[in-house]
């Protein structure tokens, strides 16, 4: 039986859907923000005008809609990297960082609140920079910051710990699982001491922090930082490289999760295996990049792999949407009319232009999936918000 016939946790289907990602809201410039902590988000007014345009659309054309933030709404990781020592209470520390970010970007949180009030469902997928949003307490705090105490609005803010799946239409995730230094071996349980304990952070979480400076001294400091990061990498102490523990996680956690997102159990387990990384291979790649200045990661490749896995099980979708790379993109995954597409939402923060990706230098980008007419398939497009003209521009 085609798995797409099962009903997903993201019902009702047929909603007009907007997906954006990687705002990386920080605390720089806000009341009480620490000096020297970078904040890469400066598009507060642009985001507010974008949200107002979506509210106007809802008022003019009533109907159910969703806005999906596909990871890294908040840059909680960067704030943590600039703190002098590990927090004794990880949950309280995460909530404090969230409050600081909200104080620095009130217009963004107000705009999200207006979207909820206009009837939008706000669907939040944590990214590697805000995986604290997997914690129930952090989810409730984000509802507080967006919706206040209004129970109807709070119910419109929903969280997806990994995959957003609309059967036959959409497979979406942040994408950091396929970037080896940012992969969590047990993404749905990213802590060894329970949801009130510290995150079992991968190598990438230990590579940030204050710059080492220029010259030989700076290079030595960066090298020492890499050594410390490798020593702290929890991949050395968790299930990576222990097949028995990995199988137990996939059977105990991933199998029931697959039922929740209406995907075949063996497909979700295979997707998890597709993202597996070894510390040795990752270390060689990172050291090679440090030596040559070349490296990176390609999310088109895992998108094709996921499509092949789902197609083999009769559960393929039309659109595979990722984020994380900050490089807006659209490409067909195979030839022929009606071929499925890979799309990347890009970023509202700092874009990362890449050779061969002509749209990767854009920012304020998002993916739009229109509500289909009777008997018509949904159509997706990669778009950009032009804050100057207050218009939605189709890129691909």
């Amino acid at each position: 039986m085609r798995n797409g016939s099962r009903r997903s946790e993201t019902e009702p289907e047929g909603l007009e859907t907007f997906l954006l990602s990687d705002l990386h809201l920080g605390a720089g410039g806000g009341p009480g923000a620490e000096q020297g902590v970078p904040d890469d988000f400066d598009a507060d007014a642009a985001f507010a005008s974008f949200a107002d345009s979506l509210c106007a659309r809802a008022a003019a054309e009533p109907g159910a809609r969703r806005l999906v933030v596909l990871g890294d709404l908040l840059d909680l990781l960067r704030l943590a990297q600039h703190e002098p020592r590990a927090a004794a209470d990880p949950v309280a520390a995460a909530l404090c960082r969230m409050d600081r970010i909200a104080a620095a970007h009130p217009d963004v949180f107000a705009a999200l609140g207006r979207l909820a009030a206009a009837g939008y469902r706000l669907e939040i997928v944590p990214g590697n920079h805000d995986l604290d949003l997997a914690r129930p307490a952090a989810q409730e705090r984000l509802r507080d910051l967006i919706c206040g105490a209004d129970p109807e609005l709070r119910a419109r803010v929903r969280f997806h710990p990994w995959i957003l799946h609309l059967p036959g239409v959409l497979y979406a995730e942040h994408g950091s699982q396929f970037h080896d230094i940012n992969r969590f071996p047990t993404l749905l349980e990213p802590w060894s001491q329970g949801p009130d304990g510290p995150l079992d952070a991968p190598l990438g979480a230990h590579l940030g922090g204050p710059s080492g400076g220029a010259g030989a001294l700076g290079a030595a400091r960066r090298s020492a930082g890499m050594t410390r990061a490798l020593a702290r990498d929890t991949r050395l102490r968790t299930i990576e490289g222990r097949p028995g523990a990995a199988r137990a996680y996939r059977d105990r956690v991933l199998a029931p999760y697959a039922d929740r997102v209406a995907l075949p159990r063996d497909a979700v387990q295979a997707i998890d295996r597709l993202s597996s990384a070894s510390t040795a291979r990752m270390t060689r790649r990172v050291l090679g990049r440090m030596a040559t200045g070349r490296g990176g990661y390609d999310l088109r490749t895992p998108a094709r792999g996921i499509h092949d896995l789902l197609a083999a099980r009769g559960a393929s979708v039309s659109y595979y949407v990722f984020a994380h790379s900050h490089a807006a993109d659209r490409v067909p995954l195979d030839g022929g009319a009606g071929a499925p597409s890979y799309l990347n939402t890009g970023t509202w923060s700092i874009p990362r232009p890449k050779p061969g990706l002509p749209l990767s230098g854009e920012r304020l980008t998002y993916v739009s999936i229109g509500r289909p007419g009777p008997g018509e398939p949904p159509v997706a497009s990669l778009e950009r918000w032009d804050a100057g003209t207050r218009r939605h521009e189709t890129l691909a």
Side-chain angles (χ1 to χ4, degrees):
M1 182 179 89
R2 179 179 171 85
N3 185 71
S5 64
R6 296 191 305 196
R7 299 189 66 81
S8 160
E9 67 175 10
T10 59
E11 298 294 355
E13 296 181 18
L15 302 188
E16 186 174 18
T17 299
F18 303 91
L19 302 100
L20 53 78
S21 71
D22 295 278
L23 280 73
H24 287 270
L25 298 173
E34 295 179 14
Q35 295 296 318
V37 181
D39 184 346
D40 291 339
F41 188 81
D42 61 359
D44 302 71
F47 185 84
S49 64
F50 169 77
D52 288 340
S53 77
L54 297 189
C55 292
R57 182 179 304 200
E61 303 172 17
R65 291 175 170 87
R66 63 161 66 87
L67 175 72
V68 179
V69 183
L70 200 58
D72 289 353
L73 169 64
L74 313 175
D75 208 328
L76 300 171
L77 173 60
R78 175 170 281 186
L79 292 181
Q81 287 171 331
H82 282 77
E83 291 171 357
R85 60 186 64 84
D89 185 339
V91 176
L95 300 184
C96 179
R97 295 175 197 127
M98 293 174 68
D99 290 343
R100 290 169 54 201
I101 290 171
H105 297 284
D107 291 348
V108 175
F109 285 83
L112 291 170
R114 291 196 297 275
L115 285 166
Y120 279 82
R121 283 171 45 174
L122 304 181
E123 314 255 356
I124 311 296
V125 179
N128 57 300
H129 279 249
D130 57 8
L131 197 61
D132 278 300
L133 292 178
R135 304 180 192 272
Q139 294 176 6
E140 289 305 302
R141 180 58 58 87
L142 190 60
R143 290 188 176 100
D144 292 340
L145 295 170
I146 294 174
C147 305
D150 189 316
E152 183 177 355
L153 298 189
R154 295 174 70 91
R156 293 177 186 161
V157 181
R158 307 183 183 187
F159 296 85
H160 302 275
W162 177 14
I163 297 167
L164 175 63
H165 173 230
L166 306 179
V169 178
L170 173 69
Y171 175 101
E173 64 169 285
H174 180 61
S176 54
Q177 284 297 95
F178 297 97
H179 185 191
D180 49 12
I181 66 170
N182 291 307
R183 180 182 186 272
F184 283 78
T186 54
L187 179 63
L188 299 183
E189 291 184 346
W191 36 62
S192 58
Q193 301 173 32
D196 293 333
L199 295 175
D200 284 336
L203 177 67
H206 303 299
L207 289 176
S211 170
L217 179 58
R221 287 173 175 169
R222 286 190 291 275
S223 177
M226 170 66 75
T227 301
R228 287 193 300 271
L230 290 171
R232 295 171 181 171
D233 179 19
T234 58
R235 193 175 287 104
L236 297 172
R237 302 187 297 279
T238 55
I239 69 169
E240 209 74 275
R242 295 195 283 130
R247 282 194 300 271
Y249 167 73
R250 289 168 183 148
D251 290 341
R252 178 178 58 83
V253 178
L254 294 190
Y257 174 74
D259 297 338
R260 282 177 50 195
V261 296
L263 283 168
R265 288 186 169 197
D266 63 334
V268 171
Q269 293 169 333
I271 292 168
D272 183 65
R273 289 193 294 272
L274 191 66
S275 70
S276 294
S278 73
T279 298
R281 186 170 67 247
M282 174 194 63
T283 303
R284 287 194 298 269
R285 186 184 69 78
V286 172
L287 291 176
R289 183 173 183 177
M290 292 175 66
T292 66
R294 297 189 299 271
Y297 53 95
D298 178 11
L299 292 176
R300 294 179 174 190
T301 298
R304 289 190 179 95
I306 293 169
H307 170 62
D308 291 343
L309 287 169
L310 297 185
R313 294 159 175 83
S316 62
V317 299
S318 297
Y319 305 108
Y320 296 83
V321 180
F322 288 73
H324 182 61
S325 67
H326 293 207
D329 192 17
R330 179 171 188 165
V331 65
L333 290 178
D334 55 39
S341 296
Y342 160 82
L343 298 102
N344 194 292
T345 51
T347 183
W348 284 62
S349 176
I350 298 176
R352 296 174 184 164
K354 294 184 178 181
L357 300 181
L359 301 174
S360 62
E362 300 284 357
R363 66 183 300 209
L364 311 188
T365 53
Y366 62 97
V367 171
S368 172
I369 303 178
R371 184 188 299 109
E376 297 178 356
V379 176
S381 58
L382 178 63
E383 302 191 19
R384 175 183 177 274
W385 175 243
D386 187 328
T389 63
R390 300 200 170 198
R391 297 179 61 182
H392 301 266
E393 174 187 8
T394 299
L395 300 178

